[in-house]
Amino acid sequence: MKTACPLDCYDSCEIEVIDGKLTGAVAHPVTNGYLCPILNSYDKFPRFQKALYNQKEVALDKATEILFEKLKEFEGKKSLYYRGSGNLGKMQGVTTKFFNPYGSTFTKGTLCEGAGEVGVIQGRESVINMPISEIKKSEVVVVWGRNVSDTNSHIYNIIKDKTLIVIDPVKTKIAQKAKLFLQLKPRTDIYLAILLCRFAIMDEMEDENFIKNHTEDFRWFLDFIDSFRLNYLAKQHDIDLLEIDKFLEIIKGKKVSFLIGVGVQKYEIGHFVLRAIESFVAMLGLFDKEGSGVHYLGDSGFGFKNHFTVRGQEPKPSVNFGKYDLVFIQGANPMVSNPQTEIIKDGIKKAKFVIYFGLYENETSKMADLVIPACSFLEKEDIKISYGHEYLSLMPKINEPKFGISEYDLTEFLIGKFGYEKLKSEKEYIREIVESNSYGEDGVLKAKTYQNYKTQKDTFDNFIFIDEFEDEALSGEGYYLLTSKSKKSLNSQFEIDNCLYIKPDENFQEGQKVLAKSDYGSYEFELKFDERLRKDCILIYAGASGGNYLTPNRVSEEGDSAVFQDVKIELI
Ligand SMILES: Nc1nc2c(c(=O)[nH]1)N[C@H]1C(S)=C(S)[C@@H](COP(=O)(O)OP(=O)(O)OC[C@H]3O[C@@H](n4cnc5c(=O)[nH]c(N)nc54)[C@H](O)[C@@H]3O)O[C@H]1N2
Ligand SMILES: Nc1nc2c(c(=O)[nH]1)N[C@H]1C(S)=C(S)[C@@H](COP(=O)(O)OP(=O)(O)OC[C@H]3O[C@@H](n4cnc5c(=O)[nH]c(N)nc54)[C@H](O)[C@@H]3O)O[C@H]1N2
Ligand code: SF4
Ligand SMILES: [Mo]
């Protein structure tokens, strides 16, 4: 039987389950017959087999009864519904069908791509990616703030033998294969993008036709990029001007795709960064050229029926759990994934009753009053739409659950108890989602958004250039913090690497303990060396249990997104 990987990953692999074993679907254009190390050892990670009340095992039906009693005891408007991205199946949202009429507060914004997403929308209305079929045609791929080999290893295999330009503070695996690698200072991508635009204008590389017919504000854009002194721009990012020439030389006249990751936008100014990079793409006319365009974290719901939309009020990165009597946490681990852990911990302690609904024991579940085990993706009906490619996959129930309850069954139970409006059947929700925006082609389901796709230009009316930007450089002493994803974990799930990495330095010894300190908190780590880093950076992988003690819980200027890397770190 076929299903799909539920995890938050660009690749959204299609899976074949043969005699209980998970393998990559051979006919899927992205999965290509294999899965990544995480899914290959999916069964190895111990799940909750029992519900917990006050951290003591109770039967599942007892736990759901306690949940019902507590929901009755507290007022809906003093409750918070908090959902993370542990499973990105569309049916995960079904629990809102209870918590919405109950009166809960929902979150808005993201811990992820939200700042950059606003930047893209400001320029071209929606985040519709160039499809994989177009990336395959590209001659040059610019990998900008994305660790393709680790975070989207299937897309890596599609691009790895093309001419590559990589822009990253870390010499990642793909950077080692690049024709040009720009190891820039973190948080300076916007200056690099503006500098590229300036040089491209000097080289007369702008596409006058495209600019005239499909863009707005080009004149303002020219004034804007001219308002920066070249020396000033060049000083920001540590990139030699000769490299800028080389960049333009490599892409001139070529089919070029830009694979942009979340690395460039974990900052207050994240939206400006995406907008500036896309302005560069637009001035070259690459949105209207075959095999060219931009691929970021796409809007996977675009064009599809969304049964479970709710209006969020509480910004996710700065969520204050302590404001609420009852907190329902589903598919998330805020004690590790959210910035400024100390504030999260205080909030969770203050809330009167905390429910954790998930698969694995983690730092958040350990603080919960009630733990309800969820079913795994193999034990419930769902559908996966990718943010990294144009295909979608059905996720039928393959195994009967031995323990745990699905999101749908828990919602149905609560709705029944409270007498709220009944749910449609799972199959019906899924059928409506599929029918709203997909079609079958060569044995796979594809989003209709791409049915007549020629170039990315067809997905918007006019591109609007960036014409303003304000920023205050990151102040304070110390190292820049990089918090990239690790190969063996999926955020805080699976195999976690808790070390702090630094470029080999005679003042430190590998294996020693160091206290990392920022304006927001401190934490002790084991130190390790990593030759691939700049000497002004440290790396703590996302998902490390102490990393977010150091990060600020402010939100980005636009998009209510986390700004994990707007911080300097001292090592003591
Ligand atoms: N194995 C694995 N795969 C994953 C995940 C996982 O945890 N593990 N997580 C999934 C999720 S939720 C997401 S959002 C995606 C994210 O996947 P990616 O978009 O690849 O994001 P990151 O790994 O956070 O960072 C990518 C790169 O940005 C670089 N970077 C950091 N700061 C800057 C900067 O200021 N400028 C530039 N140019 N580069 C910078 C980092 O060095 C890193 O190489 O991956 C998904 N896939
Ligand atoms: N410092 C730093 N922190 C970061 C990031 C960073 O770059 N740096 N990246 C951020 C990003 S991009 C993201 S997306 C977030 C992700 O952060 P979270 O949204 O907190 O996701 P996870 O850490 O993967 O936690 C997911 C939990 O979901 C549960 N789960 C898994 N499957 C299911 C299911 O089917 N049903 C239910 N009910 N539960 C399930 C598991 O028990 C797991 O512990 O982290 C962010 N945190
Ligand atoms: S985590 Fe990503 S690469 Fe691994 S199986 Fe899932 S979708 Fe594929
Ligand atoms: Mo993410």
Side-chain angles (χ1 to χ4, degrees):
M1 276 184 94
K2 275 193 187 159
T3 181
C5 173
L7 300 178
D8 184 342
C9 168
Y10 296 90
D11 290 358
S12 262
C13 290
E14 193 157 273
I15 298 175
E16 276 173 48
V17 186
I18 305 165
D19 297 332
K21 208 178 164 316
L22 309 181
T23 56
V26 178
H28 191 270
V30 181
T31 309
N32 211 8
Y34 65 96
L35 301 173
C36 73
I38 296 174
L39 254 273
N40 283 334
S41 18
Y42 188 77
D43 294 341
K44 297 207 181 96
F45 299 94
R47 284 167 56 182
F48 277 122
Q49 305 208 356
K50 279 274 167 60
L52 304 174
Y53 179 49
N54 293 330
Q55 299 294 324
K56 294 204 181 62
E57 287 189 358
V58 289
L60 184 59
D61 54 357
K62 170 94 179 146
T64 52
E65 208 49 54
I66 295 169
L67 174 61
F68 166 58
E69 290 301 329
K70 290 291 170 185
L71 288 162
K72 250 189 353 190
E73 182 185 327
F74 294 110
E75 268 184 89
K77 67 173 193 295
K78 289 194 180 151
S79 68
L80 175 76
Y81 169 94
Y82 184 98
R83 178 153 49 97
S85 57
N87 177 332
L88 283 195
K90 287 288 158 194
M91 287 303 289
Q92 297 306 292
V94 71
T95 38
T96 59
K97 287 283 187 201
F98 168 77
F99 286 95
N100 204 15
Y102 177 64
S104 298
T105 297
F106 295 93
T107 59
K108 61 178 178 178
T110 75
L111 302 177
C112 184
E113 84 292 10
E117 177 186 72
V118 173
V120 175
I121 291 171
Q122 286 172 343
R124 57 177 170 99
E125 299 157 43
S126 58
V127 198
I128 301 179
N129 274 343
M130 62 186 297
I132 298 291
S133 53
E134 287 296 303
I135 296 177
K136 286 181 178 168
K137 296 181 198 162
S138 305
E139 293 160 311
V140 180
V141 181
V142 180
V143 179
W144 202 324
R146 182 146 143 199
N147 189 7
V148 200
S149 64
D150 292 5
T151 63
N152 36 140
S153 51
H154 293 78
I155 297 181
Y156 171 80
N157 276 333
I158 289 170
I159 62 163
K160 69 179 192 318
D161 296 323
K162 294 180 184 283
T163 303
L164 299 165
I165 299 177
V166 175
I167 306 167
D168 201 300
V170 180
K171 193 162 187 188
T172 54
K173 185 168 168 190
I174 192 128
Q176 290 162 32
K177 291 171 119 341
K179 180 152 187 177
L180 179 65
F181 169 46
L182 305 182
Q183 191 164 20
L184 87 178
K185 199 194 282 180
R187 205 183 181 278
T188 60
D189 301 82
I190 183 151
Y191 302 100
L192 178 63
I194 296 170
L195 195 58
L196 282 165
C197 294
R198 281 284 290 274
F199 272 52
I201 295 284
M202 289 190 268
D203 259 10
E204 297 177 356
M205 282 173 75
E206 69 272 30
D207 181 334
E208 282 172 7
N209 234 343
F210 180 77
I211 292 167
K212 189 159 141 252
N213 295 321
H214 305 299
T215 72
E216 287 172 32
D217 294 352
F218 187 64
R219 287 244 43 94
W220 303 120
F221 168 70
L222 287 181
D223 289 347
F224 166 71
I225 59 173
D226 278 343
S227 70
F228 296 88
R229 277 182 299 115
L230 281 184
N231 264 351
Y232 171 79
L233 289 171
K235 237 174 55 195
Q236 302 303 313
H237 41 61
D238 279 356
I239 304 297
D240 194 304
L241 293 181
L242 290 174
E243 307 282 274
I244 306 285
D245 277 334
K246 219 181 199 177
F247 190 123
L248 297 179
E249 203 51 49
I250 295 172
I251 65 168
K252 205 172 270 176
K254 294 286 192 313
K255 297 175 184 162
V256 194
S257 52
F258 288 73
L259 268 51
I260 309 172
V262 294
V264 300
Q265 56 89 65
K266 298 177 188 179
Y267 307 110
E268 283 182 27
I269 54 162
H271 68 296
F272 282 128
V273 181
L274 261 289
R275 187 109 188 260
I277 297 174
E278 291 223 326
S279 291
F280 176 58
V281 177
M283 66 163 279
L284 299 173
L286 290 170
F287 282 124
D288 200 18
K289 198 167 163 189
E290 195 192 24
S292 303
V294 173
H295 186 274
Y296 179 55
L297 290 88
D299 175 0
S300 64
F302 187 87
F304 287 94
K305 180 157 186 151
N306 187 350
H307 298 284
F308 311 127
T309 340
V310 283
R311 208 172 68 82
Q313 286 119 347
E314 177 92 24
K316 209 169 185 185
S318 58
V319 57
N320 180 358
F321 290 111
K323 252 177 30 196
Y324 300 92
D325 284 347
L326 181 140
V327 172
F328 182 84
I329 299 172
Q330 175 189 324
N333 185 9
M335 273 294 293
V336 169
S337 305
N338 284 54
Q340 221 168 344
T341 312
E342 213 53 79
I343 292 184
I344 298 293
K345 198 197 278 174
D346 280 353
I348 292 182
K349 274 192 200 149
K350 264 195 207 122
K352 292 193 181 129
F353 196 76
V354 176
I355 302 115
Y356 171 85
F357 181 31
L359 283 179
Y360 307 115
E361 180 180 72
N362 60 29
E363 295 75 354
T364 307
S365 78
K366 285 184 195 152
M367 292 181 73
D369 300 289
L370 183 66
V371 173
I372 299 185
C375 290
S376 89
F377 73 103
L378 297 165
E379 302 159 349
K380 56 196 177 197
E381 296 283 336
D382 214 323
I383 173 167
K384 181 88 182 282
I385 313 179
S386 172
Y387 62 76
H389 57 67
E390 57 272 32
Y391 309 99
L392 52 147
S393 303
L394 295 172
M395 303 171 72
K397 183 181 192 176
I398 292 178
N399 300 335
E400 276 310 314
K402 288 201 216 72
F403 30 80
I405 183 166
S406 73
E407 288 66 23
Y408 182 89
D409 289 345
L410 183 64
T411 310
E412 195 170 48
F413 165 78
L414 293 174
I415 279 183
K417 288 279 195 183
F418 277 77
Y420 294 161
E421 194 187 331
K422 275 196 157 173
L423 295 177
K424 296 180 188 178
S425 74
E426 287 167 292
K427 289 214 159 67
E428 199 167 343
Y429 282 125
I430 292 167
R431 184 180 55 76
E432 286 180 19
I433 294 171
V434 171
E435 284 176 2
S436 64
N437 192 37
S438 69
Y439 68 106
E441 191 183 81
D442 304 331
V444 281
L445 277 174
K446 204 167 166 183
K448 261 197 197 139
T449 314
Y450 293 99
Q451 196 161 19
N452 298 313
Y453 185 99
K454 289 201 182 60
T455 67
Q456 210 160 13
K457 151 77 205 63
D458 298 336
T459 67
F460 57 86
D461 284 336
N462 269 346
F463 181 87
I464 304 171
F465 281 102
I466 186 172
D467 59 6
E468 53 151 15
F469 161 62
E470 263 179 60
D471 181 30
E472 273 173 41
L474 201 51
S475 62
E477 293 292 306
Y479 297 86
Y480 290 98
L481 172 65
L482 304 175
T483 65
S484 315
K485 314 290 183 181
S486 106
K487 201 174 176 68
K488 292 187 180 157
S489 73
L490 208 299
N491 297 317
S492 79
Q493 302 188 75
F494 313 114
E495 213 180 304
I496 305 298
D497 181 341
N498 282 317
C499 296
L500 179 152
Y501 292 87
I502 181 175
K503 196 173 177 74
D505 178 332
E506 59 199 19
N507 297 313
F508 295 100
Q509 269 177 357
E510 200 152 26
Q512 80 171 84
K513 297 272 188 250
V514 282
L515 184 72
K517 197 171 159 300
S518 76
D519 288 347
Y520 310 97
S522 60
Y523 200 84
E524 193 178 74
F525 294 88
E526 182 185 333
L527 181 138
K528 282 196 184 160
F529 289 150
D530 186 342
E531 205 36 270
R532 306 168 312 149
L533 298 178
R534 287 170 57 101
K535 63 176 189 308
D536 55 1
C537 295
I538 60 164
L539 167 65
I540 302 170
Y541 285 108
S545 46
N548 277 325
Y549 278 87
L550 308 172
T551 54
N553 86 333
R554 295 190 308 273
V555 294
S556 54
E557 274 178 37
E558 300 279 347
D560 291 308
S561 206
V563 297
F564 295 112
Q565 296 188 171
D566 260 333
V567 61
K568 287 277 188 80
I569 309 290
E570 286 186 83
L571 298 182
I572 300 165

